[in-house]
Amino acid sequence: MSKAKRTPATREVLTSAERRTLAALAEGFVPGGGAARARAAERAFSTVVDPELVRQLRLVLRLIETRAGSLLIGGRAARFSSLRGDARDAYLQHWVQHRIPLLRSAASALRKLLCFLAYADADEPDDQRTRARLTSIGYNPKPNAATRDRSPLVAFDPQQARRIAVDVLVIGSGAGGGAVARDLARAGKRVMVIEAGALYDERSFPTRERDAYERLYLDSGFTATDDAHIAILAGGTVGGGTTVNWMTSIPVPDRVRAEWEERHGVTGIASPRFKQDLNEVLREVGAQPAESTPPKDAALLRGAAGRGWSGEPIRINRAECGDCGTCPFGCKRGSKQSTLRLHLPEALAAGAHLIPDCKAERLIIEHGAVHGAVTTYGTRAGSPRTLEIVAPQVVVSGGALRTPLLLRRSGLTHPAIGQNLRLHPVTLAAGIFPEKIEMWRGTMQAAKSEEFIEPMEDRNGYIIESAPGHPGLLALGIPWTGRDEHQRLMRCAPHIAPFLAIVKDDGGGRISETRSGFAKIEYRTTPRDERTLRAALGSLVRMAESAGASEIIAAGSPPIAWRRRDGVEAFQVLQRRLTRFDFSPNRGTVFSAHQMGTARMGGDPVDHACDPYGRVRSSSRPRSTDPNGGIIKGLYVADGSLFPTAIGVNPMITILALAKRVARTVLADAN
């Protein structure tokens, strides 16, 4: 299959003066190639960033070129572009730690983007500056070539059809959509799967970091909460998150299933039948401990053992893994048992069809029943047109960030749609070790510790995992306290082993659609979540120390660091400081790769947008005359949106198991 066409920059969104200022900012954060990074950032602004946010950023770019604006933002009454060296450093340090959250948010968004672009390699002729920078830090990956034989997926071509009829329409091709499509097609249903993202065969997956984010991730990897506090990674291609994840295969803990059944009325979720579904999924995807233990994972296990904590290998869904370290770029070897490799081929073999580059605009809902969807097909090819897909049953599997938006666009008004967002906030600490780590090589995630997974009176539970990464993601995540210090840390990249903690959050947020049609993600941690994040960060630091790190950095603004030569007393001071670590927006560094709960299932028609089996509710208070009891006939959800709460572990296995449950429901309702 040929490489999908890149989405071009269709318009200029910055003036020449604003572009020069953005280039100066790029040079301020990371010297070298600022103009090229400004152009790359503008491309993102024109295609994947909400125009309202772009207007705000343009205002900031203009303000820092005025004396009054600069005094407010950077503490200096001078145009930013006129500053040089230490004066520019001081300006940016003042800005990234600004007391006004809105200004701190703007600094965070620009800093993350421009630092990422400085180190994320792309297959572009003018990216030689980035390659030289990567060579200087010892980054020279050699990903495996495609070696496994398999016929590529063949997309269905609707040609000039305006209307297609099937038995079941599945919207989304990730863990939920791919798995439910497979089970329904095997049962003899005429299934059509549509996916807004592009279709790539293993042989055409990108090999460079920036290309991977642009092609395979939602919003080219630039998704974030509305305050820029939490960077969010989600799949945006055929296979969804299963195509780009790190293969970590952990089923939902039994205590969480019990909570779902007892507190949320999810009938049968704690039963042996669903446990059987989980075990069957683990067998299907070939979940086994990693065949090797890369240095970053060995450091985690060594650190856990040194503290007397639990530590064990992680099961991953792979077959004959080549340990190339490019899981976030897809899997050119074809080892990853994603829906692209496993479920979708089986679905198509059973008669299903797949249409990539096909976005569901709205569901067709009349008289309390779904009748299909109106879609836009062929946008990436440059010839978008409307395609109506008629189906008496529709399964929405767009993920927790897109499913609720489609339901809302379709006129559904249940108050729980788009609410109860959980993000599994992730904090991290970086240990710099004497030996080479090269976090980008080998199995992406091979070790974990569940020492703190159980909740306590004053905090929630969290799981500790190794944290792989490539230079662009590392440059975005490490603290910025000046260009020289940031460059020093990046030169240490081959020796860095980051450890992360995934927090089972009980706070939450909501997702809505802006006037421009972009997702607005509002999310705030609760005091309990922040206590959990501080406890987790303290655990990560202690683990890194026990593993033998010569230097430890707790990522935040400002960061908290320790060097081994500082001694035991300094380490005790570090631990005490971590108990007061500031996780307010754009202070403590937080990421998310797991999104859940925005159409949650449960027994209460008021609090749960879906019933316990994934059927979508039309109303929280159905009329007595409603023949379907408040359920939209034929409409289902099968993705992480269904989770009543966060689960505290990687969600893929649980979503796959829920897809089995939803598929059985679809079949039962059709009979």
Side-chain angles (χ1 to χ4, degrees):
M1 178 171 298
S2 62
K3 189 182 293 184
K5 187 183 290 184
R6 284 194 192 189
T7 302
T10 56
R11 56 193 172 88
E12 291 186 348
V13 297
L14 304 179
T15 66
S16 57
E18 291 164 351
R19 198 174 297 115
R20 286 194 298 272
T21 302
L22 186 60
L25 277 173
E27 290 285 342
F29 285 118
V30 180
R37 278 180 282 149
R39 291 194 299 271
E42 187 175 14
R43 186 168 69 230
F45 293 162
S46 70
T47 56
V48 299
V49 179
D50 190 339
E52 179 56 36
L53 178 58
V54 174
R55 283 192 289 271
Q56 294 173 15
L57 293 174
R58 290 182 66 192
L59 175 61
V60 170
L61 292 175
R62 293 194 295 272
L63 278 174
I64 65 175
E65 290 299 299
T66 67
R67 293 174 62 87
S70 273
L71 183 61
L72 170 66
I73 293 173
R76 292 173 177 260
R79 294 186 302 110
F80 175 78
S81 59
S82 70
L83 301 175
R84 297 291 184 270
D86 291 346
R88 182 175 283 187
D89 249 23
Y91 185 108
L92 292 175
Q93 289 179 49
H94 185 278
W95 189 8
V96 298
Q97 298 178 37
H98 209 284
R99 57 184 175 80
I100 299 176
L102 187 62
L103 293 176
R104 199 166 65 242
S105 171
S108 177
L110 290 168
R111 190 267 302 172
K112 290 175 180 177
L113 173 60
L114 296 171
C115 287
F116 170 81
L117 293 173
Y119 287 93
D121 197 7
D123 189 17
E124 294 179 356
D126 64 350
D127 209 35
Q128 295 302 317
R129 180 84 66 163
T130 300
R131 294 203 188 111
R133 202 178 276 121
L134 295 178
T135 300
S136 72
I137 67 173
Y139 179 77
N140 186 29
K142 296 182 173 72
N144 289 330
T147 58
R148 293 172 61 82
D149 294 329
R150 180 180 70 78
S151 299
L153 293 181
V154 178
F156 179 79
D157 184 1
Q159 299 180 356
Q160 297 305 310
R162 297 291 180 180
R163 193 170 186 265
I164 297 174
V166 294
D167 295 331
V168 186
L169 170 62
V170 179
I171 300 172
S173 62
V180 79
R182 190 272 308 271
D183 287 1
L184 294 176
R186 282 179 168 178
K189 294 295 181 181
R190 294 181 302 153
V191 178
M192 178 68 74
V193 182
I194 65 172
E195 167 61 53
L199 170 61
Y200 295 90
D201 186 63
E202 280 100 344
R203 289 168 292 188
S204 60
F205 277 137
T207 59
R208 301 185 187 275
E209 189 176 13
R210 195 190 306 177
D211 295 334
Y213 282 101
E214 287 186 358
R215 300 181 200 176
L216 305 181
Y217 287 77
L218 190 66
D219 298 333
S220 298
F222 296 131
T223 306
T225 52
D226 64 330
D227 58 2
H229 179 39
I230 303 178
I232 297 172
L233 294 178
T237 185
V238 172
T242 73
T243 298
V244 297
N245 67 15
W246 298 342
M247 300 191 293
T248 301
S249 301
I250 306 175
V252 54
D254 290 347
R255 58 175 171 75
V256 176
R257 293 196 295 127
E259 178 187 7
W260 287 1
E261 182 144 357
E262 295 167 6
R263 297 182 59 184
H264 292 272
V266 184
T267 310
I269 204 72
S271 68
R273 175 61 186 274
F274 190 72
K275 185 75 168 182
Q276 181 181 338
D277 287 340
L278 290 167
N279 290 332
E280 185 176 343
V281 164
L282 289 167
R283 288 193 298 272
E284 287 179 349
V285 302
Q288 296 290 333
E291 296 166 342
S292 61
T293 305
K296 66 183 184 311
D297 303 275
L300 185 151
L301 295 174
R302 186 168 67 247
R307 290 284 168 179
W309 299 345
S310 65
E312 59 187 326
I314 289 176
R315 287 187 288 180
I316 58 176
N317 58 305
R318 57 81 183 108
E320 302 175 11
C321 182
D323 285 340
C324 65
T326 56
C327 294
F329 309 168
C331 178
K332 292 185 78 69
R333 185 179 175 89
S335 299
K336 184 188 295 188
Q337 299 302 288
S338 62
T339 60
L340 180 67
R341 163 65 60 171
L342 183 65
H343 303 89
L344 289 171
E346 292 177 356
L348 269 59
H353 294 294
L354 167 69
I355 307 180
D357 190 14
C358 187
K359 179 187 176 185
E361 301 293 350
R362 63 177 177 85
L363 303 170
I364 304 170
I365 300 174
E366 298 174 354
H367 308 296
V370 73
H371 299 281
V374 176
T375 77
T376 300
Y377 168 69
T379 300
R380 284 178 170 79
S383 55
R385 60 184 177 87
T386 299
L387 174 65
E388 183 177 318
I389 304 176
V390 179
Q393 292 179 298
V394 177
V395 182
V396 182
S397 303
L401 300 182
R402 290 296 181 261
T403 286
L405 300 184
L406 175 60
L407 298 178
R408 286 291 188 197
R409 285 200 304 272
S410 304
L412 300 185
T413 59
H414 193 288
I417 295 175
Q419 303 293 320
N420 306 298
L421 174 66
R422 302 291 189 270
L423 291 180
H424 274 172
V426 169
T427 186
L428 58 88
I432 302 176
F433 290 82
E435 70 273 20
K436 270 196 174 182
I437 300 293
E438 296 186 314
M439 71 178 90
W440 47 81
R441 297 191 188 277
T443 303
M444 285 280 88
Q445 209 165 47
K448 63 181 171 75
S449 172
E450 295 188 2
E451 183 71 22
F452 306 99
I453 200 167
E454 296 295 329
M456 299 182 67
E457 183 177 348
D458 62 338
R459 64 156 177 83
N460 295 324
Y462 54 93
I463 184 172
I464 296 174
E465 298 174 347
S466 61
H470 293 261
L473 191 62
L474 178 64
L476 178 156
I478 64 173
W480 193 93
T481 57
R483 66 191 185 287
D484 292 343
E485 176 63 7
H486 191 270
Q487 288 182 297
R488 183 190 74 83
L489 291 174
M490 289 303 299
R491 286 194 295 272
C492 295
H495 297 267
I496 291 178
F499 303 138
L500 63 80
I502 297 172
V503 167
K504 183 180 182 297
D505 49 328
D506 62 5
R510 64 178 182 174
I511 184 165
S512 57
E513 200 162 60
T514 69
R515 288 176 296 181
S516 305
F518 287 77
K520 181 180 182 181
I521 305 169
E522 301 171 85
Y523 180 91
R524 302 293 182 269
T525 52
T526 67
R528 183 178 175 89
D529 292 335
E530 291 180 12
R531 287 195 297 273
T532 309
L533 285 164
R534 282 191 284 271
L537 192 57
S539 298
L540 298 178
V541 165
R542 292 194 295 276
M543 175 177 281
E545 189 276 334
S546 292
S550 56
E551 184 177 350
I552 301 172
I553 300 165
S557 183
I560 300 178
W562 171 82
R563 292 178 171 85
R564 188 168 293 275
R565 64 174 182 262
D566 296 337
V568 175
E569 186 175 339
F571 187 73
Q572 293 171 342
V573 172
L574 168 71
Q575 291 181 287
R576 289 195 294 271
R577 291 179 66 190
L578 292 176
T579 64
R580 302 184 299 275
F581 198 80
D582 188 359
F583 276 103
S584 58
N586 295 300
R587 294 288 193 194
T589 299
V590 184
F591 294 89
S592 170
H594 308 152
Q595 305 87 44
M596 304 150 282
T598 50
R600 64 179 182 174
M601 61 182 174
D604 190 334
V606 176
D607 291 335
H608 301 94
C610 295
D611 82 351
Y613 297 92
R615 302 180 184 96
V616 179
R617 290 188 165 107
S618 60
S619 171
S620 59
R621 302 185 185 278
R623 298 178 181 177
S624 58
T625 56
D626 187 342
N628 301 319
I631 298 292
I632 300 291
K633 184 179 179 182
L635 183 59
Y636 311 84
V637 168
D639 58 31
S641 306
L642 289 176
F643 290 13
T645 69
I647 63 173
V649 298
N650 308 64
M652 177 184 66
I653 296 299
T654 306
I655 295 172
L656 289 169
L658 280 175
K660 288 182 173 294
R661 179 178 160 109
V662 173
R664 290 194 295 268
T665 304
V666 173
L667 292 171
D669 289 351
N671 295 330

